[in-house]
Amino acid sequence: MKPLDLLHVGLEGTHLIEASAGTGKTYTIASLFLRLLLQARIPINEILVVTYTVPATDELKTRIRDKLRDAVDAFTTGGSTDSFISGLLEQVENRAEALNILRDSLSGFDEAAISTIHGFCQRMLKELAFETGSPFDLELVTDQAGMLLGAADDFYRLHLVQETTPELVSYAISKKVSPEYFLKMAGRSNLAAKVIPDLERPSLEPHLSTYRQTFSELCDQWGICCAEIEGVLSDRDTFKQNIYKQENVPGYIAEIDRFLASGGTELPLPKEVAKFSLASVTNGVKK
């Protein structure tokens, strides 16, 4: 790798210039712009300068215009404090002709093609609409985040909220499944991939029917046995207090009451349900 010599680097072919932040990239572009005007004799409306962002484009336009003004002053007075322009003065043989080029370029600066990459692409597509088959009102979108989130919203509404049961919707919400969740999933996946084997969507109806029937039976039994269950679990002599602390039992009962009052649609099941399982009760009984 060799240092960049702005006054002698070739103006033809392809050049890769490596630079880090704060090393004078904008100064380099503006300087090469001057050389293309004066030494390569390329008209200002045929020089293309592209960058990534709108703020960078605005800065480039300002810096190149300022460079042109500085060059006009230098070729008028015969001297400059800018080392590059001073070197350019020595290289140019016909300063009067160069001054005319600089003045014409400065007056026609609005014709300079200095834009973002997407701005240049949009301009070309509009100018060559017939050749490219593009609509005349084509608009390039630089940030698709809003469009993608809108698609995720539609998917969430159509395939999760409208097509599924209240139980599944409640479960999905509890697991923080949202349009943003699907958007992140799409970003991590190859949407063009083909899943093999191509299985049919499983039916939830048999499982849902069993769940609802069991829930109905629980409601009937709970109304009959609730007080007795609370009394049994509150027995200090029977249950280990580190597992079934007496003062916590009313809270377990209240949580089951709240779940049953919801109609069974609030899933997943409250964690307190585990306290009423055979395994938990067996483990909680004293020896």
Side-chain angles (χ1 to χ4, degrees), residues 214-282:
T214 305
F215 178 82
S216 177
E217 293 174 359
L218 173 61
C219 290
D220 295 339
Q221 292 299 319
W222 186 256
I224 299 171
C225 305
C226 175
E228 181 183 357
I229 292 172
E230 183 175 5
V232 170
L233 294 181
S234 300
D235 185 354
R236 287 176 175 270
D237 296 330
T238 302
F239 287 92
K240 302 173 185 176
Q241 290 303 290
N242 63 329
I243 299 178
Y244 286 90
K245 188 174 289 189
Q246 187 179 40
E247 54 266 33
N248 291 341
V249 173
Y252 302 156
I253 300 295
E255 192 61 28
I256 301 301
D257 287 337
R258 186 199 63 76
F259 169 65
L260 296 180
S262 73
T265 58
E266 293 187 8
L267 295 176
L269 296 173
K271 63 181 183 298
E272 287 79 7
V273 169
K275 291 291 184 179
F276 300 89
S277 68
L278 178 60
S280 179
V281 171
T282 302

Side-chain angles (χ1 to χ4, degrees), residues 23-32 56 59-64 67:
T23 55
K25 293 186 290 294
T26 306
Y27 178 89
T28 298
I29 293 173
S31 300
L32 293 175
E59 182 185 3
L60 266 176
K61 288 181 178 178
T62 300
R63 294 284 291 275
I64 292 175
K67 199 78 168 181

Side-chain angles (χ1 to χ4, degrees), residues 12-255:
E12 296 181 354
T14 302
H15 299 276
L16 174 62
I17 301 174
E18 185 175 345
S20 56
T23 55
K25 293 186 290 294
T26 306
Y27 178 89
T28 298
I29 293 173
S31 300
L32 293 175
F33 196 95
L34 276 184
R35 287 190 59 199
L36 289 172
L37 288 172
L38 298 180
Q39 296 179 331
R41 300 299 178 91
I42 300 177
I44 193 169
N45 61 349
E46 294 183 12
I47 301 175
L48 172 63
V49 181
V50 293
T51 185
Y52 291 99
T53 63
V54 173
T57 301
D58 294 338
E59 182 185 3
L60 266 176
K61 288 181 178 178
T62 300
R63 294 284 291 275
I64 292 175
R65 185 186 289 111
D66 291 344
K67 199 78 168 181
L68 278 171
R69 290 197 185 103
D70 293 342
V72 168
D73 293 339
F75 277 82
T76 301
T77 61
S80 174
T81 56
D82 187 307
S83 59
F84 170 78
I85 295 179
S86 296
L88 201 57
L89 274 169
E90 296 177 2
Q91 288 185 354
V92 173
E93 297 179 359
N94 191 335
R95 292 187 179 182
E97 182 183 13
L99 184 58
N100 289 332
I101 292 174
L102 291 170
R103 285 173 175 167
D104 290 342
S105 299
L106 192 57
S107 63
F109 189 76
D110 288 342
E111 298 180 14
I114 305 172
S115 66
T116 57
I117 297 173
H118 61 270
F120 171 71
C121 293
Q122 184 171 10
R123 172 183 167 185
M124 289 296 98
L125 289 173
K126 285 186 175 181
E127 291 182 2
L128 304 173
F130 287 107
E131 291 85 344
T132 60
S134 304
F136 290 104
D137 59 349
L138 178 70
E139 179 183 357
L140 290 182
V141 178
T142 57
D143 185 2
Q144 301 183 56
M147 296 173 60
L148 294 174
L149 183 57
D153 284 336
D154 291 341
F155 179 86
Y156 184 84
R157 183 179 67 256
L158 294 174
H159 296 285
L160 184 67
V161 177
Q162 292 184 6
E163 289 189 2
T164 54
T165 64
E167 290 89 347
L168 183 58
V169 172
S170 175
Y171 182 81
I173 292 174
S174 72
K175 295 298 182 180
K176 296 182 170 48
V177 175
S178 62
E180 291 79 7
Y181 169 87
F182 288 115
L183 189 60
K184 290 180 181 178
M185 181 184 294
R188 294 193 300 264
S189 306
N190 178 9
L191 300 183
K194 182 178 180 181
V195 178
I196 301 174
D198 186 10
L199 301 176
E200 293 184 3
R201 182 177 178 179
S203 174
L204 293 175
E205 196 56 41
H207 306 287
L208 189 61
S209 178
T210 301
Y211 168 75
R212 288 175 176 173
Q213 181 179 350
T214 305
F215 178 82
S216 177
E217 293 174 359
L218 173 61
C219 290
D220 295 339
Q221 292 299 319
W222 186 256
I224 299 171
C225 305
C226 175
E228 181 183 357
I229 292 172
E230 183 175 5
V232 170
L233 294 181
S234 300
D235 185 354
R236 287 176 175 270
D237 296 330
T238 302
F239 287 92
K240 302 173 185 176
Q241 290 303 290
N242 63 329
I243 299 178
Y244 286 90
K245 188 174 289 189
Q246 187 179 40
E247 54 266 33
N248 291 341
V249 173
Y252 302 156
I253 300 295
E255 192 61 28

